[in-house]
Amino acid sequence: MSLSTSAPAEAAAVDRTPAITLRGLRKTFGDVVAVDAVDLDIADGEFFSMLGPSGSGKTTVLRLIAGFEQASAGTVELGGVDVTRSAPFERDVHTVFQDYALFPHMSVLDNVGYGLRVRGLGKKERRERAQQALDTVRLGHLGARRPAQLSGGQRQRVALARAIVLQPRVLLLDEPLGALDLKLREQMQVELKQLQRELGITFVFVTHDQEEALTLSDRIAVFDAGRIQQLGSPREIYESPASAYVAGFVGTTNLFDSATSQRILGVAGEHAVRPERLRLSAGTEPDSEGSARPDEVRLEAVVVETIYLGTGNRVHLRTSDGVELVALEQSTGSLDTREHRGEDVTVRFARADVVPLAAGS
């Protein structure tokens, strides 16, 4: 028996029904609109992330999919079946929370098999399936331990095993890595992605961590004020943000309002350029690269601060007319950071790297 829920290739070619379909989804709490007219399709087998700050509506959407909240308007479909008014236990989904919610008095194996026990499976079968789920998350040798005897990362993998043993069509993950330290969180990101590929089931991941969403996802929905502000692949979200909000929230960026764009770029409207696209050279006189070409922008600036990041330097700059910029330089291995506080520099970036933003964003 396999834990994989992937459909055979022939069936997948015929059945393109989304794993999740949301239409006009709305949720209010009194006068507060938490989710506002969300339309969304999540493909079967997709690793999909909902990204946004606290209060943006992403977790409420997850709870509406799980059935923990009832929609004020709109519909939720799972595999083409309307489950808007169905109870959580009637939906083919399982949720993994940040706090793991493991039973402290049970062994790891019994924790994983608990859902199967509730479903009435016999002891032998549920122990076999629980053991296989633990093997899948590489904890098969720890079945006899109690949760208190495990590390944070191990407890998180037990929670995942408890979810996948039920073979849901959709696995909902509500900031499951938020309680882990940085190194362990990065390790678990790799393991989550590998696990999702092995199982082939749909993962819906809620996070406020931009790097986490970019690392894990096939697609990302960026939320704000209960609405999806942009939907696309990680590359699309990062390289071509649709608005100043998305550009500013997903990673670091240099944002130019319309007046600044007119002055620097020669065109009106809001624009953005990522820090890693900026190139710096010492001094404000033309260097060996010569003056700015038609396909690039050249500015004179002073270094406000240089921050060493290990992998490089984040250089904060100010132009003579007061425009604040940030440049990201990769480390060359040299002990000399070159750009020091108060130093005059020339800033260059390609016009092709400038992203126009939606009006009024």
Side-chain angles (χ1 to χ4, degrees):
M1 171 235 167
S2 171
L3 285 173
S4 175
T5 57
S6 300
E10 308 83 35
V14 175
D15 184 8
R16 297 185 181 276
T17 304
I20 300 172
T21 301
L22 310 179
R23 290 292 179 267
L25 195 63
R26 180 179 173 87
K27 179 63 179 179
T28 59
F29 297 96
D31 295 332
V32 177
V33 180
V35 177
D36 190 9
V38 168
D39 291 324
L40 179 64
D41 289 331
I42 300 176
D44 204 24
E46 185 173 23
F47 198 125
F48 188 91
S49 289
M50 296 192 287
L51 173 66
S54 297
S56 62
K58 62 188 187 302
T59 298
T60 304
V61 170
L62 191 85
R63 292 178 63 82
L64 289 166
I65 295 171
F68 300 141
E69 301 285 353
Q70 288 295 307
S72 303
T75 59
V76 177
E77 293 183 8
L78 296 176
V81 178
D82 190 333
V83 296
T84 311
R85 301 302 168 192
S86 300
F89 63 85
E90 296 174 317
R91 307 185 184 202
D92 192 13
V93 303
H94 197 89
T95 307
V96 177
F97 299 100
Q98 182 177 327
D99 61 2
Y100 317 140
L102 302 177
F103 297 113
H105 63 287
M106 290 185 181
S107 70
V108 166
L109 189 67
D110 287 341
N111 263 282
V112 174
Y114 181 77
L116 300 175
R117 177 182 172 186
V118 171
R119 292 186 176 183
L121 267 70
K123 183 176 181 179
K124 183 176 183 296
E125 183 178 357
R126 68 172 183 261
R127 289 183 71 85
E128 288 176 352
R129 288 178 56 175
Q131 183 61 53
Q132 188 174 28
L134 281 175
D135 290 340
T136 300
V137 298
R138 301 165 187 86
L139 290 179
H141 60 297
L142 299 180
R145 292 192 183 182
R146 298 290 177 88
Q149 297 173 298
L150 304 179
S151 68
Q154 288 171 334
R155 288 196 295 272
Q156 182 61 77
R157 280 187 277 171
V158 173
L160 285 168
R162 187 176 57 184
I164 64 176
V165 77
L166 298 173
Q167 299 182 320
R169 178 164 187 168
V170 175
L171 187 60
L172 307 175
L173 301 108
D174 186 8
E175 305 209 40
L177 309 183
L180 306 179
D181 61 52
L182 177 60
K183 188 171 183 179
L184 186 54
R185 189 162 68 244
E186 290 175 345
Q187 177 186 333
M188 283 300 301
Q189 288 172 8
V190 174
E191 293 187 5
L192 260 184
K193 187 67 176 177
Q194 291 176 338
L195 181 63
Q196 192 267 340
R197 284 175 175 165
E198 290 172 9
L199 297 175
I201 64 177
T202 304
F203 276 32
V204 180
F205 190 87
V206 165
T207 182
H208 63 270
D209 188 314
Q210 304 95 321
E211 184 176 339
E212 197 164 76
L214 292 172
T215 299
L216 291 170
S217 313
D218 296 319
R219 284 192 305 153
I220 300 170
V222 182
F223 277 79
D224 185 46
R227 289 178 173 268
I228 295 176
Q229 301 300 315
Q230 187 171 355
L231 176 66
S233 70
R235 182 177 295 277
E236 289 168 342
I237 296 291
Y238 186 81
E239 300 285 355
S240 304
S243 67
Y245 170 78
V246 175
F249 184 75
V250 182
T252 304
T253 197
N254 295 291
L255 293 172
F256 303 142
D257 60 23
S258 188
T260 303
S261 294
Q262 186 67 61
R263 191 165 68 251
I264 291 179
L265 307 173
V267 292
E270 292 184 312
H271 294 80
V273 60
R274 293 293 185 184
E276 62 270 21
R277 303 300 187 184
L278 273 57
R279 308 189 312 279
L280 306 181
S281 56
T284 56
E285 293 298 320
D287 57 13
S288 59
E289 295 182 52
S291 300
R293 303 188 304 270
D295 61 349
E296 75 174 7
V297 177
R298 177 179 177 275
L299 303 170
E300 295 179 354
V302 64
V303 176
V304 176
E305 191 64 77
T306 297
I307 300 173
Y308 178 63
L309 303 174
T311 56
N313 300 309
R314 186 168 65 238
V315 185
H316 293 259
L317 308 150
R318 183 182 297 114
T319 66
S320 58
D321 56 356
V323 177
E324 304 282 346
L325 298 171
V326 179
L328 184 62
E329 293 191 304
Q330 294 299 311
S331 176
T332 61
S334 171
L335 294 176
D336 183 8
T337 60
R338 191 180 65 182
E339 285 78 41
H340 302 281
R341 190 183 311 131
E343 183 179 355
D344 292 327
V345 296
T346 297
V347 183
R348 287 182 172 82
F349 54 90
R351 291 186 179 275
D353 291 331
V354 178
V355 179
L357 304 173
S361 62

